[in-house]
Amino acid sequence: MAMIGIIDYGMGNLYSVRKALERLGCPYIVSGDIKELARARGLLLPGVGSFRDAMHILRETGLADFIRAAAENGTPLLGICLGMQLLFDESEENGPTKGLGLLRGRVVRFPGVTKTGERYKVPHMGWNRLRFHRPSPLLHGVEEGHVYFVHSYYVVPGDEDVVLASSEYDVDVPAVVGRGNVWGTQFHPEKSGAVGMRILNNYVGIVTGRGNR
């Protein structure tokens, strides 16, 4: 039976992701062991916290090389929140730090001040509406509803074609990204009601080969 591997590197909200997969009836493992994760048909990379700390752990454990190789070999990969940001080339958080480099782009902090000098709250926290740009199997049957964000940094893509959906928070925020078998959501789909669960269900369908339903 197709199984999803939730990558545990000590910086993810694993409980809510696990519960979401259980609701979808999808078998999974939670592990930081490369041999165990290699048995999975799909990989899910959650993340909460510092980009620099996350990449340090992924490099030191060998998980960074494993994730890159798995993605290059066609394994469906979904990054969530910080996990989405890690898919890109680099982040400015706590000083320039190289990411996994699976998608082109740079992660920067919300300026907290509009072009007209008005201040706004950082982090971006709460419900915000999706705006779709490109079709994707990850978004099949998904409506442009509201989803739940918690982040102080956002992606400036090197290639706009990877942006499947965006949201606005003073700037255009890439909310769903993807190319080939690599996808990411800046928001937390597991905390985003029916819209988020539909996205996760689509991902499970991609991994299991059962299609969307």
Side-chain angles (χ1 to χ4, degrees):
M1 182 178 293
M3 177 177 61
I4 288 175
I6 303 174
I7 301 170
D8 182 5
Y9 59 106
M11 294 186 65
N13 186 355
L14 304 182
Y15 177 81
S16 58
V17 174
R18 287 168 49 201
K19 288 299 179 183
L21 292 182
E22 287 171 10
R23 285 177 59 192
L24 294 172
C26 177
Y28 66 87
I29 58 169
V30 178
S31 181
D33 184 274
I34 290 172
K35 289 183 179 178
E36 287 189 358
L37 291 169
R39 295 166 37 220
R41 285 268 298 274
L43 294 172
L44 202 155
L45 179 64
V48 177
S50 162
F51 189 106
R52 172 168 282 197
D53 292 345
M55 280 307 303
H56 174 74
I57 295 169
L58 292 177
R59 284 194 298 265
E60 289 295 306
T61 57
L63 284 167
D65 288 338
F66 166 74
I67 294 167
R68 289 190 193 98
E72 289 168 2
N73 287 332
T75 299
L77 170 64
L78 175 64
I80 294 176
C81 196
L82 174 62
M84 181 194 110
Q85 295 178 1
L86 295 170
L87 302 176
F88 287 83
D89 293 319
E90 185 181 53
S91 174
E92 69 175 20
E93 185 176 3
N94 298 325
T97 303
K98 296 293 184 184
L100 294 170
L102 294 170
L103 300 173
R104 290 182 54 231
R106 187 165 182 263
V107 181
V108 302
R109 184 176 173 83
F110 285 109
V113 181
T114 68
K115 292 179 181 178
T116 58
E118 298 175 16
R119 294 189 175 275
Y120 61 91
K121 183 180 177 181
V122 178
H124 172 206
M125 181 182 298
W127 295 81
N128 212 336
R129 191 172 185 83
L130 290 178
R131 183 173 69 253
F132 293 169
H133 300 288
R134 292 167 184 83
S136 168
L138 193 69
L139 298 178
H140 177 79
V142 180
E143 297 182 359
E144 291 186 336
H146 288 74
V147 291
Y148 187 73
F149 292 85
V150 184
H151 62 124
S152 298
Y153 291 78
Y154 68 100
V155 170
V156 177
D159 182 353
E160 289 291 340
D161 287 347
V162 304
V163 181
L164 306 178
S166 65
S167 191
E168 186 174 346
Y169 192 67
D170 179 56
V171 297
D172 281 335
V173 176
V176 184
V177 299
R179 170 163 287 159
N181 56 296
V182 175
W183 295 275
T185 64
Q186 180 61 75
F187 55 90
H188 288 271
E190 75 282 8
K191 297 180 179 180
S192 294
V195 173
M197 289 302 290
R198 178 71 198 202
I199 289 172
L200 285 176
N201 187 58
N202 286 343
Y203 173 68
V204 169
I206 292 166
V207 172
T208 61
R210 62 161 167 72
N212 300 301
R213 65 184 184 189

